[in-house]
């Protein structure tokens, strides 16, 4: 994963800018450079956010399509990733909102009223993390976090982004990144402890 | 240092992102604040647990097909836009022709012609208003992610 900056990666930034300019002139094939550079990040962040392989694949590809459709609004002098990331997270969050609304409606219709939190997001750990009880428990707990908390946990723990990179992607000051990470980890710890009835380390 | 200031810094310490001066301040706080020191220990254990979790790598097939899928969608999008634009142009042309023949038709009474034309004008005005509103919201929507 890379968040390109002019000083650190001039060559890769130059290629990126060139691709953007060609896309802005209507050359759709030039977009391939950008897609291939960020497809893994896009897919795995989407997977972390929505928790389902097919949806993550579809949403990440849709984000690239929208980026291409709006590429004329983008300033080629700026790094592509933060701009693209805003598209991706909006798509994922809207998708989750729509699915929650659907699920609530379905629940009202059957007058069941019993929301199974473990499957609330189709957050199926079996296909996403290794077959290891602790890993699956942690992944399920991540799936129950509020969207913004889950996002920052995914960026930090599964993408290994630095604080500066997260601040760039989220358009947030560093201090806010740190405090959001604090609240997210605290919420995750509480979820794991509640499930375990004690120390998360002893799972 | 207050506990509220120490909390975000505990994250920076944990992730190796802390500056030297901040680290000294934080350690001074931790030495006398049992609650924060205990919380930090909990976070350390949590980090160990989460670091043991790795995402499974998807089948390599998806990366081979990824670009062509994106490209196909872009192409389909362009096709849909072309289709919509040309369909709209054809509809407008047909509309003009219909109005023209209506005006030239000698068998219809003037009052009836005026009524039909007024109905058409009303419909077009309504349509334009809806389109303008949609465009307005579409623009605002776009700016949500274009920072």
């Amino acid at each position: 994963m890379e968040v390109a900056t002019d000083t650190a990666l001039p060559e890769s930034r130059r290629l990126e800018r060139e691709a953007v300019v060609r896309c802005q002139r209507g050359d759709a094939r030039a977009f391939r450079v950008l897609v291939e550079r960020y497809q893994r990040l896009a897919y795995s962040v989407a997977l972390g956010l929505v928790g389902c392989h097919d949806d993550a694949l579809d949403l990440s590809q849709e984000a690239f399509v929208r980026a291409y459709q709006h590429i004329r609004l983008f300033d080629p002098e700026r790094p592509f990733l933060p701009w693209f990331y805003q598209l991706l997270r909006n798509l994922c969050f809207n998708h989750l909102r729509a699915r929650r609304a659907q699920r609530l409606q379905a629940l009202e219709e059957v007058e069941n009223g019993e929301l199974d939190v473990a499957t609330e997001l189709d957050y199926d750990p079996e296909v996403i993390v290794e077959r290891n009880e602790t890993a699956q428990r942690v992944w399920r707990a991540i799936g129950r976090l509020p969207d913004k908390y889950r996002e920052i946990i995914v960026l930090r723990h599964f993408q290994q982004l630095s604080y500066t990179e997260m601040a760039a992607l989220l358009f947030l000051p560093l201090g806010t990144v740190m405090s959001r990470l604090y609240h997210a980890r605290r919420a995750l710890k509480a979820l794991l402890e509640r499930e375990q009835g004690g120390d998360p380390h002893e799972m | 240092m207050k506990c509220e200031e120490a909390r975000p810094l505990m994250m920076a310490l944990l992730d190796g992102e802390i500056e030297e001066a901040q680290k000294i301040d934080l350690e001074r706080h931790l030495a006398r604040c049992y609650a924060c020191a205990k919380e930090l220990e909990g976070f350390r254990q949590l980090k160990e647990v989460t670091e043991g979790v790795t995402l499974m790598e998807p089948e390599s097939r998806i990366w081979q097909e990824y670009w062509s899928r994106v490209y196909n969608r872009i192409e389909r999008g362009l096709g849909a836009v072309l289709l919509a634009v040309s369909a709209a142009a054809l509809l407008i042309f047909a509309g003009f022709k219909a109005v023209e023949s209506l005006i030239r038709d000698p068998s219809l009474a003037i009052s009836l012609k005026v009524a039909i034309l007024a109905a058409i004008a009303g419909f077009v005005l309504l349509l334009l208003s809806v389109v303008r509103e949609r465009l307005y919201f579409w623009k605002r929507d776009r700016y949500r992610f274009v920072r």
Side-chain angles (χ1 to χ4, degrees):
Chain A
M1 150 65 212
E2 55 188 85
V3 175
T5 61
D6 253 322
T7 47
L9 299 155
E11 176 63 10
S12 98
R13 278 286 285 119
R14 197 182 55 74
L15 284 174
E16 199 174 290
R17 188 173 49 202
E18 205 178 282
V20 169
V21 171
R22 281 174 58 197
C23 291
Q24 289 178 333
R25 290 185 191 136
D27 179 3
R29 300 221 171 248
F31 198 51
R32 183 172 190 159
V33 175
L34 297 167
V35 172
E36 287 182 349
R37 177 170 293 178
Y38 297 119
Q39 60 189 16
R40 283 171 189 271
L41 172 92
Y43 164 77
S44 59
V45 171
L47 182 63
L49 293 182
V50 303
C52 157
H53 166 82
D54 290 342
D55 289 346
L57 195 59
D58 183 59
L59 288 163
S60 67
Q61 288 173 344
E62 184 59 26
F64 280 115
V65 172
R66 301 233 179 143
Y68 181 78
Q69 286 168 346
H70 295 97
I71 198 86
R72 281 182 182 80
L73 298 169
F74 174 67
D75 175 4
E77 297 308 317
R78 303 182 70 175
F80 176 75
L81 186 58
W83 181 75
F84 169 73
Y85 184 75
Q86 291 298 311
L87 271 169
L88 178 69
R89 76 192 287 266
N90 280 348
L91 273 175
C92 291
F93 288 166
N94 287 342
H95 170 83
L96 289 174
R97 257 194 296 274
R99 217 167 48 188
R100 284 192 194 110
Q102 253 176 16
R103 192 150 299 183
L104 271 178
Q105 203 181 2
L107 276 175
E108 277 166 20
E109 276 167 15
V110 293
E111 288 181 347
N112 182 342
E114 245 178 75
L115 187 62
D116 181 0
V117 274
T119 58
E120 195 191 351
L121 284 176
D122 295 338
Y123 220 74
D124 182 4
E126 295 239 338
V127 295
I128 292 161
V129 293
E130 66 271 39
R131 289 181 193 281
N132 161 320
E133 208 189 318
T134 307
Q136 300 202 355
R137 211 197 316 259
V138 172
W139 188 249
R140 263 200 305 274
I142 291 174
R144 284 181 217 163
L145 287 172
D147 291 347
K148 280 185 180 172
Y149 289 174
R150 186 166 62 257
E151 176 183 40
I152 204 146
I153 294 279
V154 164
L155 292 179
R156 177 66 205 172
H157 288 281
F158 300 104
Q159 298 302 321
Q160 279 93 35
L161 295 196
S162 72
Y163 286 9
T164 325
E165 288 168 329
M166 292 196 284
L169 285 199
L170 298 169
F171 290 88
L172 290 176
L174 266 184
T176 313
V177 167
M178 289 198 275
S179 61
R180 189 177 291 178
L181 198 52
Y182 167 79
H183 290 291
R185 280 176 171 158
R186 205 169 70 160
L188 180 60
K189 196 153 74 81
L191 276 170
L192 288 169
E193 280 168 357
R194 197 184 313 153
E195 195 181 88
Q196 193 61 20
D199 183 359
H201 200 51
E202 287 164 11
M203 288 187 297
Chain B
M1 182 183 277
K2 289 180 186 162
C3 295
E4 294 87 69
E5 298 166 77
R7 285 167 188 156
L9 290 180
M10 288 199 288
M11 298 300 106
L13 180 72
L14 209 58
D15 294 321
E17 295 253 0
I18 200 163
E19 288 166 20
E20 208 44 48
Q22 291 176 323
K23 191 176 172 185
I24 294 167
D25 285 348
L26 177 63
E27 277 170 352
R28 202 172 293 153
H29 175 81
L30 290 171
R32 59 179 175 76
C33 178
Y34 175 71
C36 282
K38 188 165 177 266
E39 195 172 29
L40 178 63
E41 190 43 39
F43 280 130
R44 217 167 245 142
Q45 291 172 357
L46 176 77
K47 202 183 171 204
E48 262 175 55
V49 173
T50 43
E51 267 169 5
V53 181
T54 46
L55 293 184
M56 279 202 291
E57 182 65 18
E59 299 167 54
S60 59
R61 187 174 51 88
I62 82 159
W63 306 125
Q64 288 153 17
E65 293 169 359
Y66 200 95
W67 160 246
S68 59
R69 279 171 188 264
V70 171
Y71 184 75
N72 288 340
R73 281 202 204 185
I74 289 174
E75 218 173 37
R76 271 202 293 274
L78 287 176
V81 169
L82 271 178
L83 186 70
V85 168
S86 54
L90 286 174
L91 273 176
I92 290 170
F93 179 72
F96 270 117
K97 283 284 165 199
V99 169
E100 203 181 9
S101 64
L102 178 83
I103 292 169
R104 284 193 183 152
D105 189 347
S107 64
L108 284 176
I110 297 283
S111 55
L112 188 59
K113 283 182 185 175
V114 169
I116 293 174
L117 285 177
I120 293 173
F123 176 73
V124 169
L125 272 177
L126 276 177
L127 196 71
L128 283 179
S129 162
V130 169
V131 167
R132 205 183 50 198
E133 192 184 81
R134 290 297 291 258
L135 270 178
Y136 174 74
F137 284 110
W138 178 69
K139 270 190 186 159
R140 281 170 56 111
D141 210 30
R142 278 193 318 179
Y143 287 123
R144 271 200 320 206
F145 54 80
V146 183
R147 301 230 187 184

